[in-house]
Amino acid sequence: MLRYESGTLVLEGTSPPKGLEAVFAFDVRVNLWRAPAYRYPEIVPLLKNRIGANRAPQYRVLALERSAAHAPYLHQLEGLAAWRGSSGRGIVVLPTGAGKTELGLMAMEWASRSTLVVVPTRVLMHQWYAELKAAFPDLPVGLIGDGEHEPFDLAVATYDSAAIHAEKLGNRYGLLIFDEVHHLPTEFYEPAATFSLAPYRLGLTASLERADLRHERLYEYVGPVVYRRAAAELRGGVLADYRIEEVRVELSRAERENYQKALELRNAFLEAQRISLGSLEGWSQFVKLSARTEEGRRAMRAHREASRIATAAPAKLRALGAILARHPGQKVLVFTKENELAYEVSRRYLIPCITHQTHVKERQATLEKFAQGEYRAVVSGNVLNEGINVADASVAVNLSGSAVERELIQRLGRILRRMENKTAVFYEVFTRDTREQRVSERRRGLGQGRSEWPQKPPEPPEVVSQERLLPALSWDELGKD
C-alpha cells in the first residue's frame, strides 16, 4: 500500500522496485520505506500492479467548465500546449497583462482536479478568489490565509499559509498553480511544493530569474520553463505599445563633492581590506567588517551617504514635477526603493503614498480611488511591483530601484494592460555618473552585449488550435482500495 504522511509517501508491504531505490529511503523508526511527496508522478508508473491500494492521493476529479471563457490568445494556447507537453509540470513566463491568470484557468479546466492556487500577497489572493468564483460559479472556492482556512476542492492560499499547512494540504490537491513562482524557492516556502504529491504543477511569473540563482531549484519540484514570451514580443497587440525614456539628472557642485568624499572614504577601506563589491561574497564581507570595527562602520556610513545623495537628489523631484506636468489627466505610478523618498514625493506633490506600513484598508481604498480616477497619481515605496491591476494607468516613473532586471519587468508591467490607442511611457530617472546610473543600466540589461528590449518580435510559431489539445492524462490509476 502507498499512503501519504506529513509531506512524504510511505510504502507498506513491499520494497521499492528497480528504478526507485534512490527515491525511497528506509525509515528505521517505523521500518518502512519513505519518499518525498513531490516525487509521486515518477513513483506511480513503477509501482502499478505491485501494491494493492493507493491511499496517498485524496484530491478529486472535477468537472471543470468555465461559465464564460474568453477566446484565448495564441500565446496562451501555445503556453498551455507546451505545459501539457511537459506532462502538466512546468513554468510559463509571460509579461504582466499577458493573461497569466487566464492561462491558469485554462490549465485548471484541462487538468480537472482539485486545485490550489498559491500567491504571494493577500491582494492577489482576493483577485484570484474573484476570478475562480466567476469562472466556476457552481463550485465553492476556499481561502487559506488572511484569517481564513477553507481547504475546498478549489482554493487560493498565500505562500505563507500554504507553507505553514503544507503537511496537511499535501495530498488534497492534484494541481498546484504557483502565481509569481519566483517567490517559491526559499527555505520557508518550498514545503508548499515539496510536501505535495500533486502530479500537475504550473508556475506563472513575469520574471523568473533570481540574483541568488535559487530559481533553478524550481525545475525539480515545479518543472522546467516550458514557454516564455517577453513584453517586446507582445507589444502593440496583446499588450499596450510602450516606450522607455531615460531621464538623467545632475548633482549640484556641493552634492557632487560630498558624494566623491563619501566614495573615497569607503573605497579606501575596501582597498585596505582587499574587498570587491562586485560579488555577494564581497558585500557580505563588507557588512561583517562594518559590524566589527570602527573603520568598517565609518566606511559603511560613507557608503550609505553616497547612496542617499544619489538616490534622493533634489533634481529627481524637479524631474518628476516636469513629468507630471507633461501628462495632465493621465494616471501615473511613481516607484521608489526607499520609503523616505516615497514620503518626500507624497509631501511635495500631494500624491497618495503606499508603503509596507500602509494599512490594508487604506491601501485598498487608495487603489480604488486611483482606479476610479479620483487620484491621478500614486507613489509606492517598493510594494506595488505585484498585485495592482489598473488597466488605464499609462505612465510609470522609476525614481529608484535595485539592479535586478525582474524589478524593471514588474514595474513596467503595471502600465502594459491593453486599451485602444494606448501607448505607455516608462521613465527611468537616475543621477548621472553615480552608482545609480550603473544600477539602472544593469536592470535594463545594458552594457552586456544586448539592448533593453528587442525592437521586433520574432516570427510567431505554428498556430495551435484548441481541437489539438488532448484531454488531461490520469495519474489516478494506481491500485484500487
Side-chain angles (χ1 to χ4, degrees), residues 26-92:
F26 191 72
D27 188 344
V28 297
R29 299 169 301 176
V30 292
N31 292 323
L32 294 171
W33 292 92
R34 195 182 294 272
Y38 75 94
R39 306 292 292 270
Y40 181 72
E42 61 189 283
I43 291 171
V44 168
L46 296 179
L47 281 184
K48 190 175 182 180
N49 300 324
R50 289 180 60 93
I51 60 175
N54 174 25
R55 295 177 181 167
Q58 297 297 313
Y59 55 82
R60 297 200 305 154
V61 177
L62 306 176
L64 293 179
E65 185 174 351
R66 284 180 290 167
S67 61
H70 299 288
Y73 287 108
L74 172 61
H75 70 275
Q76 291 169 331
L77 290 171
E78 293 170 347
L80 180 66
W83 177 71
R84 290 182 44 191
S86 184
S87 300
R89 295 172 72 89
I91 298 167
V92 175

Side-chain angles (χ1 to χ4, degrees), residues 23-263:
V23 177
F24 280 90
F26 191 72
D27 188 344
V28 297
R29 299 169 301 176
V30 292
N31 292 323
L32 294 171
W33 292 92
R34 195 182 294 272
Y38 75 94
R39 306 292 292 270
Y40 181 72
E42 61 189 283
I43 291 171
V44 168
L46 296 179
L47 281 184
K48 190 175 182 180
N49 300 324
R50 289 180 60 93
I51 60 175
N54 174 25
R55 295 177 181 167
Q58 297 297 313
Y59 55 82
R60 297 200 305 154
V61 177
L62 306 176
L64 293 179
E65 185 174 351
R66 284 180 290 167
S67 61
H70 299 288
Y73 287 108
L74 172 61
H75 70 275
Q76 291 169 331
L77 290 171
E78 293 170 347
L80 180 66
W83 177 71
R84 290 182 44 191
S86 184
S87 300
R89 295 172 72 89
I91 298 167
V92 175
V93 183
L94 291 174
T96 300
K100 292 189 292 294
T101 301
E102 176 70 14
L103 179 59
L105 295 174
M106 293 165 65
M108 290 174 63
E109 196 170 19
W110 174 79
S112 296
R113 300 293 187 272
S114 303
T115 301
L116 179 65
V117 180
V118 187
V119 300
T121 66
R122 289 175 292 180
V123 172
L124 281 173
M125 181 174 71
H126 290 289
Q127 286 182 7
W128 266 98
Y129 176 81
E131 291 283 355
L132 294 183
K133 290 287 287 183
F136 309 109
D138 296 331
L139 292 174
V141 179
L143 293 175
I144 303 174
D146 201 16
E148 304 289 346
H149 188 76
E150 303 167 328
F152 302 157
D153 283 327
L154 301 183
V156 190
T158 61
Y159 276 97
D160 290 279
S161 295
I164 290 170
H165 300 289
E167 291 186 0
K168 295 182 179 179
L169 297 174
N171 65 341
R172 297 287 301 271
Y173 297 98
L175 168 62
L176 298 178
I177 298 177
F178 295 103
D179 197 11
E180 308 294 354
V181 71
H182 53 272
H183 288 277
L184 180 59
T186 68
E187 297 297 332
F188 183 76
Y189 290 154
E190 281 178 337
T194 58
F195 283 18
S196 171
L197 56 70
Y200 299 128
R201 292 152 187 252
L202 172 62
L204 298 171
T205 182
S207 48
L208 176 64
E209 287 72 21
R210 295 169 52 116
D212 59 10
L213 301 182
R214 285 195 171 195
H215 60 276
E216 295 178 356
R217 292 157 68 162
L218 296 171
Y219 306 151
E220 179 178 3
Y221 51 77
V222 177
V225 176
V226 296
Y227 190 79
R228 183 191 292 262
R229 283 290 181 268
E233 299 174 65
L234 303 177
R235 66 192 298 179
V238 177
L239 301 178
D241 198 3
Y242 67 88
R243 67 180 187 273
I244 298 177
E245 293 195 12
E246 258 188 20
V247 180
R248 304 186 181 197
V249 302
E250 301 285 353
L251 293 175
S252 68
R253 179 177 297 178
E255 290 166 347
R256 178 64 66 180
E257 290 176 355
N258 291 334
Y259 178 80
Q260 290 301 133
K261 287 179 181 178
L263 281 188

Side-chain angles (χ1 to χ4, degrees), residues 213-351:
L213 301 182
R214 285 195 171 195
H215 60 276
E216 295 178 356
R217 292 157 68 162
L218 296 171
Y219 306 151
E220 179 178 3
Y221 51 77
V222 177
V225 176
V226 296
Y227 190 79
R228 183 191 292 262
R229 283 290 181 268
E233 299 174 65
L234 303 177
R235 66 192 298 179
V238 177
L239 301 178
D241 198 3
Y242 67 88
R243 67 180 187 273
I244 298 177
E245 293 195 12
E246 258 188 20
V247 180
R248 304 186 181 197
V249 302
E250 301 285 353
L251 293 175
S252 68
R253 179 177 297 178
E255 290 166 347
R256 178 64 66 180
E257 290 176 355
N258 291 334
Y259 178 80
Q260 290 301 133
K261 287 179 181 178
L263 281 188
E264 289 169 4
L265 194 159
R266 183 204 67 177
N267 291 342
F269 175 80
L270 295 177
E271 290 173 7
Q273 299 296 325
R274 297 182 179 179
I275 296 174
S276 170
L277 295 185
S279 67
L280 290 175
E281 182 181 356
W283 174 252
S284 177
Q285 190 178 359
F286 184 27
V287 171
K288 288 178 182 177
L289 289 175
S290 71
R292 294 175 181 171
T293 67
E294 182 57 36
E295 292 82 1
R297 283 188 283 274
R298 282 199 297 268
M300 181 59 76
R301 285 196 294 269
H303 173 83
R304 290 173 177 168
E305 176 63 10
S307 178
R308 184 199 64 79
I309 291 170
T311 299
K316 281 190 173 184
L317 295 179
R318 293 194 293 272
L320 175 60
I323 292 169
L324 292 173
R326 187 179 181 182
H327 296 278
Q330 291 180 266
K331 291 182 180 177
V332 181
L333 286 167
V334 182
F335 295 101
T336 74
K337 181 181 178 182
E338 307 79 7
N339 288 345
E340 293 77 8
L341 181 56
Y343 292 138
E344 179 60 27
V345 168
S346 180
R347 285 190 294 267
R348 181 156 182 170
Y349 293 106
L350 301 180
I351 294 174

Side-chain angles (χ1 to χ4, degrees), residues 431-449:
T431 307
R432 187 196 298 267
D433 296 330
T434 66
R435 179 179 178 275
E436 262 217 330
Q437 181 168 347
R438 295 189 295 276
V439 166
S440 173
E441 291 170 350
R442 281 181 60 190
R443 65 174 165 254
R444 288 179 289 151
L446 301 179
Q448 301 175 24

